Amino acid sequence: MYHCNLHIYLISTQNDLFEVLKKAEPLEHFTHELEKSDAPEKEKIEKADVIFADLQGANAVETLALLRTYKKESAELILLVEKGQADQLMVEDLSAVKDIWIMPLSEKEMAFRFGRWLETYKMGKDYWQTQTYLDTTINSVPHMIWYKDKEGAHMKVNESFCKIVNKTMEQIKGRGHYYIWDIDPEEYAKGEFICMESEYEVMEKRETCVFDEDVKIGDGMRNLKTYKSPLFDLDGSVMGTVGVAVDITQELLYQKMMVKNANTDFLTGLYNRRYVYQFVEVMEEKHFTIFCIDLNNFKGINDMYGHQEGDNALILTARTLEKTVPEDLVARTGGDEFMVLSIGECSSAEIEAKRRLLEKTLDEAYRREKNLQTISASIGAAHSGEGKEGFDALMGEADTIMYAVKEKKKHG
């Protein structure tokens, strides 16, 4: 995909190498631009991508110093020297030199060497393209991506990773989990909030694995869905892992909120009728008691003081029931209808005592409120030892008793 216009500069009084360069066919993605001069020229040196410098008969050390001064940092320098000059150059700094050709060489030898150099040069550009593909891809992904060695040191991460841990790529490279995630070393030593267990599993299984992991970031926690795969070395052994993490913290909060909204009453925060039936469906205990509760004269409160005061009465009922029977399941099953589900075997006397306690506690709570003193609670109770199969019938029985109590209060 890339295109490389290669500026080739030959410094030589000879024309044989220049003819070899002109005959060479550019490789895929490449074009050649050739220039030649008998002596080094500053402007051409500065522009060149590769410089072939024929030092035969010249002062090799001085010419090399000149070339090092003016060539681009990325430019490759190939020296053509006699055997004696090569020995002389070996004591110099050759870090800027890509290769040294010992002259003389035949045209075929020069063509072969130039062809090999082109292939190597192209490999570098291909590597650059692959690296660009990789970096652009992982840095455009909003999820965390990382590469680790077998010891858990992070060798490469993407920009999303850096943003979440608030560190640069340079700070992260080569560092372990506790430093990157700001975990106290003592916590790390205890094995808390770390992901190495899953890394070991991936390396042992030698296949991609998916995990739900909780990661500590400073004083906070993140819920991550992680996809981890082994990285294989040249000999087929595992040399590390690559991971992708999707931050599902907010998603889990939304899910919990949706579940809560589906199973609870918005006004009082109590469980709703739907949740009661779900609870009973998975309940293993056969013995349980249902207390059905209805508020007397609730409509009168709404009519006299408005729905806000009516809502206050419902909230007061909910809090009072929760406080009175904290071990039981308390639900709002309708407008002014509530339910208490008590698990376990009870005698008739115990059930009646609890029914009276609930009724007394609620009535006292209403009397303490100026606008709610006309409300009272009617409660019916029914007990089962048959299990969940008879739940609807038991509800009906408790309702019937509750309405009987309600009529008695009304006329009594």
Side-chain angles (χ1 to χ4, degrees):
M1 181 181 290
Y2 67 87
H3 175 74
C4 180
N5 184 30
L6 191 61
H7 293 268
I8 303 173
Y9 178 35
L10 171 62
I11 306 169
S12 178
T13 58
Q14 308 297 319
N15 289 322
D16 49 354
L17 178 55
F18 192 67
E19 293 302 318
V20 169
L21 299 179
K22 284 200 299 183
K23 292 177 184 177
E25 287 291 329
L27 300 178
E28 184 183 12
H29 307 308
F30 280 79
T31 55
H32 295 171
E33 187 176 314
L34 301 175
E35 289 192 287
K36 177 181 178 299
S37 65
D38 293 344
E41 296 181 14
K42 178 176 177 292
E43 290 184 0
K44 293 178 180 178
I45 294 173
E46 292 173 338
K47 185 173 66 172
D49 296 307
V50 55
I51 303 169
F52 290 89
D54 185 356
L55 304 185
Q56 298 176 87
N59 187 316
V61 175
E62 289 183 3
T63 306
L64 175 59
L66 178 68
L67 294 171
R68 277 203 309 250
T69 301
Y70 295 114
K71 83 174 191 69
K72 295 187 296 189
E73 184 177 351
S74 60
E76 297 197 353
L77 177 59
I78 298 175
L79 304 180
L80 285 60
V81 302
E82 299 167 343
K83 179 67 172 69
Q85 290 176 310
D87 294 337
Q88 181 184 5
L89 288 172
M90 287 303 134
V91 298
E92 297 295 317
D93 177 11
L94 298 179
S95 58
V97 178
K98 180 67 176 179
D99 199 3
I100 297 177
W101 295 2
I102 306 299
M103 304 301 285
L105 293 173
S106 68
E107 285 193 16
K108 286 186 177 180
E109 288 175 318
M110 286 190 286
F112 176 80
R113 282 177 172 267
F114 181 63
R116 281 287 185 262
W117 176 84
L118 271 180
E119 291 174 358
T120 303
Y121 192 81
K122 183 178 183 300
M123 285 177 59
K125 298 303 180 185
D126 290 346
Y127 168 79
W128 169 85
Q129 178 176 261
T130 301
Q131 190 67 35
T132 299
Y133 285 167
L134 174 63
D135 289 342
T136 303
T137 300
I138 67 175
N139 288 327
S140 66
V141 174
H143 309 306
M144 301 167 62
I145 299 176
W146 64 89
Y147 300 83
K148 291 183 182 179
D149 64 16
K150 289 195 296 187
E151 285 69 43
H154 293 68
M155 308 313 297
K156 184 179 182 67
V157 298
N158 67 342
E159 291 177 359
S160 294
F161 191 107
C162 294
K163 289 177 183 176
I164 288 178
V165 302
N166 195 30
K167 290 180 175 63
T168 65
M169 292 183 183
E170 291 72 22
Q171 290 173 319
I172 292 170
K173 187 173 182 180
R175 302 302 297 266
H177 187 94
Y178 74 92
Y179 166 79
I180 292 172
W181 294 96
D182 296 323
I183 299 175
D184 187 275
E186 292 184 3
E187 285 184 290
Y188 182 79
K190 294 176 185 176
E192 298 178 359
F193 313 120
I194 63 173
C195 305
M196 279 309 295
E197 290 81 1
S198 58
E199 308 283 349
Y200 293 141
E201 182 176 339
V202 169
M203 290 188 282
E204 182 178 347
K205 290 183 175 180
R206 300 170 66 89
E207 64 182 27
T208 300
C209 301
V210 183
F211 305 94
D212 290 311
E213 298 182 321
D214 296 328
V215 177
K216 187 175 183 182
I217 306 177
D219 294 330
M221 294 293 296
R222 292 288 182 97
N223 308 112
L224 305 179
K225 174 78 72 175
T226 59
Y227 303 80
K228 299 183 178 183
S229 302
L231 292 171
F232 296 103
D233 208 339
L234 295 173
D235 62 358
S237 63
V238 177
M239 65 177 182
T241 58
V242 55
V244 179
V246 181
D247 190 337
I248 58 173
T249 307
Q250 200 63 39
E251 179 183 335
L252 291 179
L253 290 175
Y254 285 145
Q255 288 179 354
K256 290 178 182 178
M257 184 175 69
M258 290 173 65
V259 170
K260 180 180 179 181
N261 290 342
N263 293 310
T264 58
D265 171 53
F266 177 76
L267 176 65
T268 63
L270 295 179
Y271 291 116
N272 57 20
R273 181 183 291 269
R274 170 181 173 170
Y275 179 82
V276 171
Y277 275 91
Q278 290 177 342
F279 179 84
V280 172
E281 187 64 30
V282 298
M283 182 176 63
E284 296 182 359
E285 175 63 53
K286 288 188 174 182
H287 298 277
F288 60 91
T289 306
I290 296 175
F291 297 88
C292 289
I293 304 161
D294 185 84
L295 305 190
N296 305 315
N297 198 36
F298 177 73
K299 185 176 182 299
I301 296 298
N302 281 330
D303 293 342
M304 183 174 295
Y305 300 108
H307 288 283
Q308 183 173 352
E309 198 64 20
D311 289 347
N312 291 336
L314 297 174
I315 294 170
L316 175 63
T317 303
R319 300 291 84 79
T320 303
L321 290 173
E322 287 178 321
K323 185 177 180 180
T324 306
V325 285
E327 73 282 0
D328 294 339
L329 189 153
V330 181
R332 182 187 176 196
T333 55
D336 62 340
E337 297 176 352
F338 294 81
M339 175 195 292
V340 171
L341 181 62
S342 183
I343 306 298
E345 191 169 2
C346 289
S347 66
S348 298
E350 289 172 328
I351 293 171
E352 178 58 19
K354 194 168 196 175
R355 190 195 71 80
R356 289 182 176 277
L357 172 65
L358 290 170
E359 192 174 76
K360 177 175 178 290
T361 306
L362 287 171
D363 288 349
E364 288 177 350
Y366 302 140
R367 284 197 293 271
R368 287 194 291 269
E369 301 295 324
K370 180 181 178 182
N371 296 336
L372 304 182
Q373 294 179 358
T374 58
I375 297 180
S376 63
S378 293
I379 303 176
H383 180 74
S384 173
E386 302 300 323
K388 59 189 177 185
E389 291 78 7
F391 183 74
D392 284 327
L394 202 67
M395 281 269 293
E397 182 183 342
D399 257 343
T400 300
I401 297 172
M402 180 267 292
Y403 281 115
V405 173
K406 191 177 186 75
E407 284 297 312
K408 184 177 180 181
K409 282 192 174 185
K410 185 177 179 180
H411 299 292

